[in-house]
Amino acid sequence: MGSAMDHVGAAGGRAKKASGGSQLWKKALLHSSLCFVMGFFTGFAPSSVSDWRSVAPAGVGSSHMAKTPQVIASGAAMDRSLLARDAAARIGGVPRPLLVVVTTTESTPTAAGERPAMLTRMAHTLRLVPPPLLWLVVEAAPDVPATAKLLRDTGILYRHLTYKENFTAAEVAAGKERHHQRNTALEHIERHRLAAIVHFAGLGDVYELRFFDQLRQISTFGAWPVARMSRNERKVVIQGPACSSSKVLGWFSRDLMSNGTAGTGGGTAATSPEIDVHGFAFNSSVLWDPERWGRYPTSEPDKSQDSMRFVQQVVSEDYSKVKGIPQDCLEIMVWGVDTTPTPAPIFLATNSGE
């Protein structure tokens, strides 16, 4: 009797062991299947270090920003990762400062027709500059789609800013649109606290590449002479700081005629200089410096809100904060080309019978 009971108990134990082993095998198979499925679909998901241009919707640049609270295609997190990666580029063990190059455009038909070629030329120049560099391109909303496609193909880290305000032909000629575009760029820099050296680059500007190394040596403000040429007049106007070493003593403007001689007003220092915006750069931290708000009385709130006007005023009034580059400001490293087309001649019909 006892032997029979022992035999039954042993058989039951073997059955339990077989059942338990079957359960473990099923759990292991289920776990392996889940891991396989998760790994399979994870392989199709874009990683955080993937190509930054590939995550944007069709027709919109990955860094395309609207000058509204709504962001059309936010690349902010990816921009930060790319900027952090580019900051690893070092000069003698010290990270290179970020350069922010601001390029404005015009909404006139003539300017719009030349814009693709000039943006492409500027992109080729900026690709030769060592990173980190961020290119801010500002233009009116109707012109965005074509430019967005062009910028995506440049291979440069960029942000494409736009605005909805309209400007008349007279306002464009008076420079009001460009002033508004520069303020749009500075507002973006201030809002996102982009710590960088900011430079305004015109579409017609030509650079000596060593110039960008000089920019990175600026601590607060920097200025340099600019040679400006025109399609319509055979002369060169040189404007910039008068320096002793890197100390700015004043500002000058000089006209050189086509034969190399000085024109009227040549070599004289300007008492109330009209400083070329392409002839200075500054550290973006001045935009959120508390000193900025103490420069204007409370009765003039518009002036304190105009970032571009504030920066120009500091450069023209406080020479102690401005560093002249290069040494003694004797070398021209930036040439500005006036891209305004020559107006076509007007022929008046005459009555041959008179």
Side-chain angles (χ1 to χ4, degrees):
M1 184 72 178
S3 176
M5 292 297 293
D6 291 342
H7 179 74
V8 173
R14 285 194 297 271
K16 289 181 179 180
K17 288 182 179 179
S19 176
S22 176
Q23 292 294 330
L24 289 175
W25 182 82
K26 290 180 179 179
K27 289 181 179 179
L29 180 61
L30 178 62
H31 181 75
S32 300
S33 300
L34 289 174
C35 290
F36 173 78
V37 172
M38 292 178 63
F40 179 79
F41 286 105
T42 301
F44 289 98
S47 65
S48 60
V49 293
S50 61
D51 186 352
W52 59 276
R53 291 175 294 175
S54 65
V55 300
V60 179
S62 70
S63 296
H64 184 97
M65 301 281 186
K67 189 181 176 295
T68 63
Q70 179 185 7
V71 178
I72 296 180
S74 175
M78 197 161 295
D79 283 347
R80 285 194 294 270
S81 66
L82 286 169
L83 291 177
R85 181 198 67 188
D86 288 342
R90 295 173 177 266
I91 307 175
V94 179
R96 291 193 188 100
L98 170 67
L99 291 182
V100 172
V101 178
V102 178
T103 298
T104 59
T105 60
E106 284 187 359
S107 56
T108 60
T110 302
E114 297 179 346
R115 186 180 306 144
M118 304 194 76
L119 282 172
T120 300
R121 185 181 64 81
M122 178 62 70
H124 286 317
T125 299
L126 297 181
R127 288 180 66 179
L128 299 176
V129 180
L133 181 143
L134 175 63
W135 190 18
L136 295 186
V137 179
V138 192
E139 68 177 348
D143 303 322
V144 164
T147 302
K149 182 180 184 304
L150 185 153
L151 294 177
R152 285 199 303 273
D153 296 334
T154 61
I156 301 173
L157 180 62
Y158 73 91
R159 289 186 182 179
H160 193 187
L161 309 180
T162 186
Y163 55 93
K164 297 180 180 179
E165 290 82 356
N166 295 318
F167 293 87
T168 64
E171 290 174 331
V172 171
K176 291 185 177 181
E177 184 181 33
R178 286 191 184 274
H179 186 81
H180 177 76
Q181 290 180 344
R182 293 177 186 124
N183 272 327
T184 299
L186 295 184
E187 180 184 341
H188 180 83
I189 293 170
E190 183 178 359
R191 183 191 309 124
H192 294 280
R193 289 295 195 269
L194 298 178
I197 304 299
V198 181
H199 167 56
F200 297 99
L203 284 177
D205 289 354
V206 180
Y207 294 93
E208 164 69 52
L209 283 179
R210 292 182 296 111
F211 167 76
F212 294 97
D213 295 329
Q214 297 279 340
L215 283 184
R216 288 192 161 106
Q217 299 176 18
I218 294 173
S219 57
T220 307
F221 289 91
W224 53 87
V226 177
R228 190 154 295 281
M229 298 164 281
S230 174
R231 288 180 181 177
N232 305 333
E233 299 179 6
R234 299 186 63 183
K235 70 175 182 179
V236 176
V237 178
I238 301 177
Q239 294 178 323
C243 305
S244 174
S245 185
S246 61
K247 183 179 180 181
V248 174
L249 304 177
W251 302 88
F252 75 93
S253 177
R254 182 172 184 174
D255 294 356
L256 296 179
M257 310 305 289
S258 58
N259 58 5
T261 60
T264 58
T268 59
T271 54
S272 299
E274 182 179 347
I275 301 174
D276 191 331
V277 295
H278 303 149
F280 69 87
F282 61 95
N283 192 311
S284 62
S285 62
V286 303
L287 296 174
W288 51 85
D289 189 338
E291 179 186 348
R292 169 182 177 180
W293 314 112
R295 296 182 66 90
Y296 301 97
T298 55
S299 59
E300 299 179 357
D302 290 342
K303 288 187 177 180
S304 62
Q305 297 294 334
D306 192 325
S307 299
M308 192 65 215
R309 184 180 300 179
F310 161 73
V311 171
Q312 288 177 300
Q313 181 176 358
V314 175
V315 171
S316 62
E317 293 180 356
D318 196 347
Y319 297 164
S320 64
K321 294 183 178 181
V322 184
K323 176 182 180 180
I325 58 174
Q327 189 78 4
D328 291 319
C329 304
L330 295 179
E331 185 178 356
I332 304 294
M333 305 183 77
V334 180
W335 293 263
V337 181
D338 182 7
T339 57
T340 304
T342 305
I346 300 176
F347 298 97
L348 299 178
T350 58
N351 189 341
S352 57
E354 292 184 357

PDB file of all heavy atoms in Angstrom, residues 207-227:
ATOM      1  N   TYR A 207      34.496  88.726 -48.038  1.00  0.00           N
ATOM      2  CA  TYR A 207      35.314  88.621 -46.817  1.00  0.00           C
ATOM      3  C   TYR A 207      36.677  88.015 -47.094  1.00  0.00           C
ATOM      4  O   TYR A 207      36.832  87.135 -47.948  1.00  0.00           O
ATOM      5  CB  TYR A 207      34.604  87.738 -45.785  1.00  0.00           C
ATOM      6  CG  TYR A 207      33.324  88.308 -45.252  1.00  0.00           C
ATOM      7  CD1 TYR A 207      32.100  87.984 -45.834  1.00  0.00           C
ATOM      8  CD2 TYR A 207      33.324  89.181 -44.167  1.00  0.00           C
ATOM      9  CE1 TYR A 207      30.909  88.507 -45.347  1.00  0.00           C
ATOM     10  CE2 TYR A 207      32.141  89.711 -43.674  1.00  0.00           C
ATOM     11  CZ  TYR A 207      30.948  89.367 -44.268  1.00  0.00           C
ATOM     12  OH  TYR A 207      29.767  89.892 -43.785  1.00  0.00           O
ATOM     13  N   GLU A 208      37.644  88.474 -46.312  1.00  0.00           N
ATOM     14  CA  GLU A 208      38.897  87.763 -46.103  1.00  0.00           C
ATOM     15  C   GLU A 208      38.626  86.758 -44.986  1.00  0.00           C
ATOM     16  O   GLU A 208      38.137  87.119 -43.913  1.00  0.00           O
ATOM     17  CB  GLU A 208      39.994  88.754 -45.698  1.00  0.00           C
ATOM     18  CG  GLU A 208      41.223  88.128 -45.094  1.00  0.00           C
ATOM     19  CD  GLU A 208      42.014  87.322 -46.104  1.00  0.00           C
ATOM     20  OE1 GLU A 208      42.330  87.864 -47.178  1.00  0.00           O
ATOM     21  OE2 GLU A 208      42.298  86.154 -45.800  1.00  0.00           O
ATOM     22  N   LEU A 209      38.907  85.476 -45.207  1.00  0.00           N
ATOM     23  CA  LEU A 209      38.496  84.444 -44.249  1.00  0.00           C
ATOM     24  C   LEU A 209      39.131  84.630 -42.870  1.00  0.00           C
ATOM     25  O   LEU A 209      38.553  84.227 -41.858  1.00  0.00           O
ATOM     26  CB  LEU A 209      38.831  83.054 -44.795  1.00  0.00           C
ATOM     27  CG  LEU A 209      37.874  82.530 -45.880  1.00  0.00           C
ATOM     28  CD1 LEU A 209      38.323  81.160 -46.360  1.00  0.00           C
ATOM     29  CD2 LEU A 209      36.450  82.466 -45.360  1.00  0.00           C
ATOM     30  N   ARG A 210      40.304  85.250 -42.805  1.00  0.00           N
ATOM     31  CA  ARG A 210      40.927  85.504 -41.500  1.00  0.00           C
ATOM     32  C   ARG A 210      40.082  86.433 -40.644  1.00  0.00           C
ATOM     33  O   ARG A 210      40.239  86.494 -39.428  1.00  0.00           O
ATOM     34  CB  ARG A 210      42.319  86.105 -41.688  1.00  0.00           C
ATOM     35  CG  ARG A 210      43.326  85.155 -42.288  1.00  0.00           C
ATOM     36  CD  ARG A 210      44.697  85.785 -42.419  1.00  0.00           C
ATOM     37  NE  ARG A 210      44.695  86.897 -43.347  1.00  0.00           N
ATOM     38  CZ  ARG A 210      44.854  88.173 -42.989  1.00  0.00           C
ATOM     39  NH1 ARG A 210      45.009  88.493 -41.724  1.00  0.00           N
ATOM     40  NH2 ARG A 210      44.850  89.125 -43.902  1.00  0.00           N
ATOM     41  N   PHE A 211      39.179  87.160 -41.285  1.00  0.00           N
ATOM     42  CA  PHE A 211      38.310  88.087 -40.562  1.00  0.00           C
ATOM     43  C   PHE A 211      37.482  87.367 -39.499  1.00  0.00           C
ATOM     44  O   PHE A 211      37.278  87.882 -38.397  1.00  0.00           O
ATOM     45  CB  PHE A 211      37.393  88.799 -41.564  1.00  0.00           C
ATOM     46  CG  PHE A 211      36.248  89.534 -40.949  1.00  0.00           C
ATOM     47  CD1 PHE A 211      36.434  90.753 -40.308  1.00  0.00           C
ATOM     48  CD2 PHE A 211      34.957  89.016 -41.000  1.00  0.00           C
ATOM     49  CE1 PHE A 211      35.366  91.433 -39.736  1.00  0.00           C
ATOM     50  CE2 PHE A 211      33.892  89.696 -40.445  1.00  0.00           C
ATOM     51  CZ  PHE A 211      34.096  90.907 -39.811  1.00  0.00           C
ATOM     52  N   PHE A 212      37.009  86.160 -39.797  1.00  0.00           N
ATOM     53  CA  PHE A 212      36.156  85.454 -38.844  1.00  0.00           C
ATOM     54  C   PHE A 212      36.949  84.989 -37.617  1.00  0.00           C
ATOM     55  O   PHE A 212      36.385  84.868 -36.529  1.00  0.00           O
ATOM     56  CB  PHE A 212      35.479  84.276 -39.543  1.00  0.00           C
ATOM     57  CG  PHE A 212      34.520  84.706 -40.612  1.00  0.00           C
ATOM     58  CD1 PHE A 212      34.903  84.742 -41.947  1.00  0.00           C
ATOM     59  CD2 PHE A 212      33.228  85.113 -40.291  1.00  0.00           C
ATOM     60  CE1 PHE A 212      34.021  85.151 -42.939  1.00  0.00           C
ATOM     61  CE2 PHE A 212      32.342  85.531 -41.270  1.00  0.00           C
ATOM     62  CZ  PHE A 212      32.740  85.552 -42.599  1.00  0.00           C
ATOM     63  N   ASP A 213      38.244  84.744 -37.779  1.00  0.00           N
ATOM     64  CA  ASP A 213      39.078  84.453 -36.609  1.00  0.00           C
ATOM     65  C   ASP A 213      39.211  85.688 -35.729  1.00  0.00           C
ATOM     66  O   ASP A 213      39.234  85.591 -34.501  1.00  0.00           O
ATOM     67  CB  ASP A 213      40.463  83.974 -37.049  1.00  0.00           C
ATOM     68  CG  ASP A 213      40.408  82.636 -37.779  1.00  0.00           C
ATOM     69  OD1 ASP A 213      39.504  81.827 -37.454  1.00  0.00           O
ATOM     70  OD2 ASP A 213      41.248  82.410 -38.681  1.00  0.00           O
ATOM     71  N   GLN A 214      39.282  86.861 -36.360  1.00  0.00           N
ATOM     72  CA  GLN A 214      39.360  88.114 -35.609  1.00  0.00           C
ATOM     73  C   GLN A 214      38.065  88.352 -34.822  1.00  0.00           C
ATOM     74  O   GLN A 214      38.090  88.855 -33.707  1.00  0.00           O
ATOM     75  CB  GLN A 214      39.609  89.283 -36.566  1.00  0.00           C
ATOM     76  CG  GLN A 214      40.928  89.234 -37.315  1.00  0.00           C
ATOM     77  CD  GLN A 214      42.084  89.734 -36.470  1.00  0.00           C
ATOM     78  OE1 GLN A 214      41.895  90.433 -35.493  1.00  0.00           O
ATOM     79  NE2 GLN A 214      43.288  89.354 -36.865  1.00  0.00           N
ATOM     80  N   LEU A 215      36.930  88.003 -35.420  1.00  0.00           N
ATOM     81  CA  LEU A 215      35.652  88.194 -34.731  1.00  0.00           C
ATOM     82  C   LEU A 215      35.616  87.449 -33.410  1.00  0.00           C
ATOM     83  O   LEU A 215      35.067  87.936 -32.414  1.00  0.00           O
ATOM     84  CB  LEU A 215      34.501  87.711 -35.618  1.00  0.00           C
ATOM     85  CG  LEU A 215      34.045  88.590 -36.776  1.00  0.00           C
ATOM     86  CD1 LEU A 215      32.827  87.971 -37.452  1.00  0.00           C
ATOM     87  CD2 LEU A 215      33.710  89.998 -36.302  1.00  0.00           C
ATOM     88  N   ARG A 216      36.177  86.255 -33.386  1.00  0.00           N
ATOM     89  CA  ARG A 216      36.120  85.426 -32.180  1.00  0.00           C
ATOM     90  C   ARG A 216      36.982  85.972 -31.049  1.00  0.00           C
ATOM     91  O   ARG A 216      36.919  85.465 -29.931  1.00  0.00           O
ATOM     92  CB  ARG A 216      36.527  83.994 -32.517  1.00  0.00           C
ATOM     93  CG  ARG A 216      35.462  83.250 -33.338  1.00  0.00           C
ATOM     94  CD  ARG A 216      35.755  81.769 -33.411  1.00  0.00           C
ATOM     95  NE  ARG A 216      34.565  81.021 -33.784  1.00  0.00           N
ATOM     96  CZ  ARG A 216      34.359  80.470 -34.980  1.00  0.00           C
ATOM     97  NH1 ARG A 216      35.294  80.572 -35.906  1.00  0.00           N
ATOM     98  NH2 ARG A 216      33.250  79.805 -35.232  1.00  0.00           N
ATOM     99  N   GLN A 217      37.784  86.998 -31.316  1.00  0.00           N
ATOM    100  CA  GLN A 217      38.609  87.613 -30.286  1.00  0.00           C
ATOM    101  C   GLN A 217      37.915  88.796 -29.615  1.00  0.00           C
ATOM    102  O   GLN A 217      38.469  89.440 -28.739  1.00  0.00           O
ATOM    103  CB  GLN A 217      39.940  88.066 -30.891  1.00  0.00           C
ATOM    104  CG  GLN A 217      40.757  86.930 -31.486  1.00  0.00           C
ATOM    105  CD  GLN A 217      42.024  87.406 -32.160  1.00  0.00           C
ATOM    106  OE1 GLN A 217      42.491  88.526 -31.929  1.00  0.00           O
ATOM    107  NE2 GLN A 217      42.604  86.569 -33.013  1.00  0.00           N
ATOM    108  N   ILE A 218      36.684  89.101 -30.025  1.00  0.00           N
ATOM    109  CA  ILE A 218      35.927  90.217 -29.459  1.00  0.00           C
ATOM    110  C   ILE A 218      35.340  89.806 -28.116  1.00  0.00           C
ATOM    111  O   ILE A 218      34.770  88.716 -27.990  1.00  0.00           O
ATOM    112  CB  ILE A 218      34.804  90.652 -30.419  1.00  0.00           C
ATOM    113  CG1 ILE A 218      35.411  91.227 -31.698  1.00  0.00           C
ATOM    114  CG2 ILE A 218      33.880  91.666 -29.765  1.00  0.00           C
ATOM    115  CD1 ILE A 218      34.375  91.529 -32.777  1.00  0.00           C
ATOM    116  N   SER A 219      35.466  90.677 -27.134  1.00  0.00           N
ATOM    117  CA  SER A 219      34.891  90.391 -25.816  1.00  0.00           C
ATOM    118  C   SER A 219      33.539  91.082 -25.642  1.00  0.00           C
ATOM    119  O   SER A 219      32.577  90.478 -25.157  1.00  0.00           O
ATOM    120  CB  SER A 219      35.844  90.832 -24.700  1.00  0.00           C
ATOM    121  OG  SER A 219      36.153  92.218 -24.837  1.00  0.00           O
ATOM    122  N   THR A 220      33.432  92.361 -26.031  1.00  0.00           N
ATOM    123  CA  THR A 220      32.158  93.084 -25.905  1.00  0.00           C
ATOM    124  C   THR A 220      31.717  93.636 -27.260  1.00  0.00           C
ATOM    125  O   THR A 220      30.704  93.228 -27.811  1.00  0.00           O
ATOM    126  CB  THR A 220      32.278  94.236 -24.890  1.00  0.00           C
ATOM    127  OG1 THR A 220      32.787  93.730 -23.655  1.00  0.00           O
ATOM    128  CG2 THR A 220      30.893  94.856 -24.628  1.00  0.00           C
ATOM    129  N   PHE A 221      32.480  94.611 -27.795  1.00  0.00           N
ATOM    130  CA  PHE A 221      32.207  95.172 -29.118  1.00  0.00           C
ATOM    131  C   PHE A 221      33.496  95.155 -29.930  1.00  0.00           C
ATOM    132  O   PHE A 221      34.595  95.268 -29.380  1.00  0.00           O
ATOM    133  CB  PHE A 221      31.698  96.620 -29.025  1.00  0.00           C
ATOM    134  CG  PHE A 221      30.312  96.752 -28.476  1.00  0.00           C
ATOM    135  CD1 PHE A 221      30.095  96.921 -27.119  1.00  0.00           C
ATOM    136  CD2 PHE A 221      29.201  96.709 -29.313  1.00  0.00           C
ATOM    137  CE1 PHE A 221      28.817  97.043 -26.597  1.00  0.00           C
ATOM    138  CE2 PHE A 221      27.913  96.826 -28.806  1.00  0.00           C
ATOM    139  CZ  PHE A 221      27.722  96.992 -27.451  1.00  0.00           C
ATOM    140  N   GLY A 222      33.341  95.051 -31.239  1.00  0.00           N
ATOM    141  CA  GLY A 222      34.478  95.133 -32.142  1.00  0.00           C
ATOM    142  C   GLY A 222      34.080  95.904 -33.390  1.00  0.00           C
ATOM    143  O   GLY A 222      32.914  95.888 -33.798  1.00  0.00           O
ATOM    144  N   ALA A 223      35.040  96.597 -34.000  1.00  0.00           N
ATOM    145  CA  ALA A 223      34.761  97.383 -35.213  1.00  0.00           C
ATOM    146  C   ALA A 223      35.959  97.298 -36.140  1.00  0.00           C
ATOM    147  O   ALA A 223      37.093  97.064 -35.703  1.00  0.00           O
ATOM    148  CB  ALA A 223      34.446  98.835 -34.857  1.00  0.00           C
ATOM    149  N   TRP A 224      35.729  97.533 -37.435  1.00  0.00           N
ATOM    150  CA  TRP A 224      36.767  97.408 -38.440  1.00  0.00           C
ATOM    151  C   TRP A 224      36.394  98.282 -39.638  1.00  0.00           C
ATOM    152  O   TRP A 224      35.230  98.633 -39.833  1.00  0.00           O
ATOM    153  CB  TRP A 224      36.895  95.950 -38.890  1.00  0.00           C
ATOM    154  CG  TRP A 224      35.586  95.369 -39.329  1.00  0.00           C
ATOM    155  CD1 TRP A 224      35.017  95.417 -40.565  1.00  0.00           C
ATOM    156  CD2 TRP A 224      34.646  94.686 -38.491  1.00  0.00           C
ATOM    157  NE1 TRP A 224      33.792  94.801 -40.565  1.00  0.00           N
ATOM    158  CE2 TRP A 224      33.537  94.340 -39.297  1.00  0.00           C
ATOM    159  CE3 TRP A 224      34.626  94.319 -37.141  1.00  0.00           C
ATOM    160  CZ2 TRP A 224      32.437  93.661 -38.805  1.00  0.00           C
ATOM    161  CZ3 TRP A 224      33.531  93.636 -36.651  1.00  0.00           C
ATOM    162  CH2 TRP A 224      32.449  93.307 -37.476  1.00  0.00           C
ATOM    163  N   PRO A 225      37.366  98.639 -40.473  1.00  0.00           N
ATOM    164  CA  PRO A 225      37.053  99.435 -41.665  1.00  0.00           C
ATOM    165  C   PRO A 225      36.390  98.582 -42.740  1.00  0.00           C
ATOM    166  O   PRO A 225      36.707  97.405 -42.920  1.00  0.00           O
ATOM    167  CB  PRO A 225      38.427  99.936 -42.122  1.00  0.00           C
ATOM    168  CG  PRO A 225      39.400  98.962 -41.544  1.00  0.00           C
ATOM    169  CD  PRO A 225      38.808  98.455 -40.270  1.00  0.00           C
ATOM    170  N   VAL A 226      35.441  99.180 -43.458  1.00  0.00           N
ATOM    171  CA  VAL A 226      34.735  98.517 -44.544  1.00  0.00           C
ATOM    172  C   VAL A 226      34.912  99.354 -45.807  1.00  0.00           C
ATOM    173  O   VAL A 226      34.705 100.572 -45.783  1.00  0.00           O
ATOM    174  CB  VAL A 226      33.228  98.364 -44.220  1.00  0.00           C
ATOM    175  CG1 VAL A 226      32.494  97.735 -45.408  1.00  0.00           C
ATOM    176  CG2 VAL A 226      33.026  97.520 -42.970  1.00  0.00           C
ATOM    177  N   ALA A 227      35.291  98.707 -46.897  1.00  0.00           N
ATOM    178  CA  ALA A 227      35.387  99.373 -48.197  1.00  0.00           C
ATOM    179  C   ALA A 227      34.120  99.073 -48.973  1.00  0.00           C
ATOM    180  O   ALA A 227      33.813  97.919 -49.253  1.00  0.00           O
ATOM    181  CB  ALA A 227      36.615  98.877 -48.958  1.00  0.00           C
TER     182      ALA A 227
END
